[in-house]
Amino acid sequence: MLATQGFDWACIDMEHSPISPTLMAEMVAAVASSGSCVPIVRVPSQAPEWLRWALDAGAHGVIVPRVETPDEMRNIVNLCTFPPAGKRSIGAPFAPQHFGLRGPQAISEYMDAVGPHVLIIPQIESLEGAANLKAILGVGGVDAIFVGPYNLGASARVSQDHIHDVFGAIEKTAKGGDMPIGIYAPSGESALSKVKLGYTLLVAANDVDCLTSSASENLERAKGESSRHYR
C-alpha cells in the first residue's frame, strides 16, 4: 500500500528489521507490483548470500552497510555483477519477472539487460569509511552512496562541530565525483532540508512511524475534548 502513495523507491530494511529472505522476496514483489516504486534492499551484511538473495528476488539494487575500504567495495561489486565482469551466481528465476521478462530466455535477457544496471550503494557510517570515501568511489560500479547518520555520529564521538565537518567532507567528495548521495531522514521536513544540501536518495518516512503517528493522531481526534472529563 505504501508503494502506491507516490514514493519513488522503498528501502526494504533487513539490517535493522528481523526480515527473513522469504519475507524480503515477498516485499520486493509487492513493491515492484506497484509499477512506480522501486524496491531496494538494505542487506544485513556484506556476506555473499544476502546480496545474492536480494538481487535474485528482483531488487533493483542493494544498500550495503558499513563499507569502509576500497577492497570491501571491490568485493561487493564483484558479487553483484554477472560474469565475466564479476562473480554473481547465475540462477535468478524470480528477478526477470519483475522486469517484464518471460519465457525460456528470461534469465539470459535479465543478465544482459538488467544485470549491468542493478544499483550498488555502499553505506558510509564510520570515520574510516568517510576517510576512504574517495578511494571507495574510485572502484568502478558504485551507483550512489548512502550515509548512516546515527552510526557515523557514534563512530565520531566528538564535538558537534567536528561531525558537521565529517558530513561536509562526505558531501563534498560525493559532489566532486558526481555521485548521488542519500541519507535517512526522520521526517518530511528533515528530508526537505537534506534535498537543499544536495541529497537525492532519501528515506523520508518509515512504515513504523507512519503507522504509530497516524494511530496516535486519530486516537487523539477520537477522544476529543469530551475525553478530558473521564481522565
Side-chain angles (χ1 to χ4, degrees):
M1 293 177 67
L2 288 174
T4 63
Q5 300 306 304
F7 293 103
D8 297 315
W9 70 292
C11 177
I12 298 170
D13 186 13
M14 300 185 76
E15 184 187 13
H16 291 295
S17 300
I19 297 176
S20 69
T22 300
L23 180 55
M24 174 273 294
E26 292 173 348
M27 294 174 74
V28 167
V31 172
S33 70
S34 71
S36 58
C37 188
V38 171
I40 295 178
V41 175
R42 181 162 71 171
V43 294
S45 77
Q46 300 176 21
E49 58 269 24
W50 295 113
L51 297 167
R52 182 169 61 249
W53 286 333
L55 295 179
D56 283 359
H60 289 225
V62 287
I63 297 174
V64 187
R66 207 168 186 86
V67 178
E68 297 182 322
T69 68
D71 285 341
E72 288 179 346
M73 190 70 250
R74 193 171 293 108
N75 186 55
I76 292 164
V77 171
N78 280 336
L79 291 170
C80 295
T81 306
F82 285 120
K87 53 185 178 182
R88 178 181 170 186
S89 181
I90 300 170
F94 303 110
Q97 300 176 35
H98 299 320
F99 296 89
L101 303 174
R102 303 284 190 276
Q105 300 301 315
I107 292 181
S108 178
E109 292 172 353
Y110 170 82
M111 290 174 60
D112 292 338
V114 179
H117 303 292
V118 295
L119 301 175
I120 304 172
I121 307 168
Q123 186 161 287
I124 306 301
E125 51 185 336
S126 69
L127 290 181
E128 183 177 1
N132 289 330
L133 182 56
K134 188 173 182 178
I136 290 170
L137 297 183
V139 176
V142 179
D143 295 291
I145 65 169
F146 197 84
V147 179
Y150 302 123
N151 284 336
L152 185 56
S155 173
R157 294 272 180 176
V158 289
S159 70
Q160 196 67 20
D161 289 340
H162 180 65
I163 194 61
H164 285 160
D165 290 341
V166 174
F167 274 91
I170 291 173
E171 293 158 7
K172 182 178 179 180
T173 300
K175 185 177 181 180
D178 197 26
M179 182 64 59
I181 182 171
I183 196 169
Y184 171 79
S187 67
E189 292 80 4
S190 176
L192 180 59
S193 71
K194 294 299 183 183
V195 170
K196 294 176 181 178
L197 292 174
Y199 290 80
T200 56
L201 186 67
L202 291 151
V203 174
N206 69 64
D207 51 354
V208 174
D209 284 348
C210 287
L211 180 62
T212 55
S213 62
S214 178
S216 298
E217 180 181 338
N218 281 288
L219 178 60
E220 288 302 313
R221 289 177 178 175
K223 288 178 178 179
E225 291 293 327
S226 61
S227 66
R228 298 179 182 179
H229 300 296
Y230 300 98
R231 292 178 181 174

